[in-house]
Amino acid sequence: MFQRKGWEAAMKKRDFVTQDLLSKIYQHSTPGPRKLPPERQLAEEYGVSRFTIRQALEKLVSIGVVSIVQGSGIWINEQARNSPLVYNSITEKSFDRISFRLLSLHKKLPDRDEQQVFGLGPDEFIWQFCRLRLVDSQKVQIETSRMPAKDFPDLNQKAIESSLQQYVLSKGYRISHLLTRYQAIVVNKEQAQLLECRKGQPAMQISNRGILEGGRVYEISDIVDINYSCTYVIPFNHDNLVRRKSS
């Protein structure tokens, strides 16, 4: 129990340092190259170990906000800082820490909603597949996806157990947008068995729609994630505030 509390406290410190450094990076608009203070100074300022600082910096490196140059320091990526930033518990991980396991793959006729989404006729087949996503060998997501078979006739296990986006790009398509919706849920019995967690555990249901340049949808997916977190750094939308006040 005490070891677990100590681990959770260390995680909270790391997450606080990460968020605070990210906030400070975006708070300042000084032009030209900028650096963060060295590890030792940051550890003193935050009252944490250099290991905790190193973990926080590793996360900032993984999302592309800073670069660590040996012998030179911790440099802020100005291009990233000048753009909206969205990262989550999956996209912050490098590909070598993520793996997939195919659970099922088959063709089926689309229902009415799927016809509407993909712009298909009732006799045009779609692929439906289910896969597990593992991060650092831990099962964290169940993903059920559908894709139009006419656009991806050779969809197979190898493509599904790697990067679907890379597979789509390899077919000559250009991805334009991702439309995403989040909803808090609890894990049911079947999901708990697949994820090796307890039934009723809080989770996030993530519904995605991948859109190609030109407007066609290439994939719809529903994901159950038991370890989801997401951070946004986006410009303040004044027009949205005015609209909500006047509605």
Side-chain angles (χ1 to χ4, degrees):
M1 174 66 78
F2 291 109
Q3 286 182 339
R4 180 170 178 81
K5 286 184 177 179
W7 177 80
E8 289 176 344
M11 292 289 286
K12 288 181 179 178
K13 287 181 179 179
R14 183 206 67 185
D15 291 340
F16 172 78
V17 172
T18 303
Q19 295 291 308
D20 197 60
L21 286 174
L22 190 58
S23 173
K24 287 179 168 57
I25 287 169
Y26 277 80
Q27 280 172 235
H28 298 283
S29 56
T30 307
R34 291 194 298 130
K35 294 167 64 176
L36 291 180
E39 279 185 16
R40 186 183 299 277
Q41 182 179 334
L42 289 171
E44 292 175 356
E45 290 179 1
Y46 284 102
V48 298
S49 68
R50 290 184 68 177
F51 177 72
T52 298
I53 294 298
R54 198 166 296 122
Q55 285 184 312
L57 291 174
E58 285 174 357
K59 177 171 272 195
L60 294 180
V61 169
S62 72
I63 61 177
V65 175
V66 302
S67 299
I68 300 176
V69 180
Q70 192 70 28
S72 178
I74 309 161
W75 291 90
I76 295 170
N77 182 347
E78 293 299 315
Q79 184 176 358
R81 194 179 66 83
N82 292 328
S83 304
L85 173 69
V86 180
Y87 71 91
N88 61 42
S89 46
I90 294 297
T91 58
E92 71 187 32
K93 304 291 193 307
S94 59
F95 282 124
D96 60 357
R97 298 177 61 185
I98 301 172
S99 61
F100 296 94
R101 184 181 305 165
L102 179 64
L103 300 178
S104 64
L105 170 64
H106 63 274
K107 282 183 180 179
K108 76 179 193 77
L109 291 172
D111 62 25
R112 189 166 184 172
D113 289 345
E114 291 161 344
Q115 292 176 46
Q116 180 68 24
V117 170
F118 290 119
L120 297 175
D123 298 324
E124 296 181 273
F125 283 91
I126 62 172
W127 291 107
Q128 179 166 303
F129 59 90
C130 184
R131 63 180 181 172
L132 282 174
R133 179 183 268 120
L134 296 84
V135 176
D136 297 328
S137 300
Q138 299 295 312
K139 298 173 182 176
V140 296
Q141 286 187 355
I142 305 169
E143 178 181 350
T144 303
S145 297
R146 285 138 289 170
M147 301 176 73
K150 68 177 183 180
D151 292 328
F152 307 101
D154 64 346
L155 183 67
N156 54 53
Q157 181 174 356
K158 183 179 179 181
I160 293 170
E161 291 187 342
S162 56
S163 169
L164 277 177
Q165 291 179 353
Q166 287 292 342
Y167 169 73
V168 171
L169 294 173
S170 74
K171 298 301 174 186
Y173 297 110
R174 297 171 65 91
I175 299 173
S176 174
H177 291 81
L178 296 174
L179 175 64
T180 306
R181 178 178 180 270
Y182 305 96
Q183 182 176 353
I185 61 168
V186 295
V187 173
N188 63 30
K189 182 179 179 180
E190 181 182 1
Q191 293 163 346
Q193 289 175 340
L194 288 172
L195 292 168
E196 298 179 352
C197 66
R198 61 180 174 82
K199 177 185 174 183
Q201 177 170 329
M204 187 68 73
Q205 180 169 304
I206 308 163
S207 299
N208 281 322
R209 187 175 295 195
I211 304 170
L212 300 173
E213 287 190 2
R216 285 195 301 122
V217 174
Y218 71 87
E219 179 195 17
I220 50 178
S221 64
D222 289 296
I223 298 168
V224 174
D225 191 317
I226 57 172
N227 188 33
Y228 188 78
S229 63
C230 188
T231 298
Y232 294 82
V233 184
I234 57 177
F236 173 64
N237 190 332
H238 184 269
D239 291 340
N240 185 54
L241 177 64
V242 172
R243 179 191 61 78
R244 290 169 63 199
K245 288 173 65 178
S246 62
S247 60

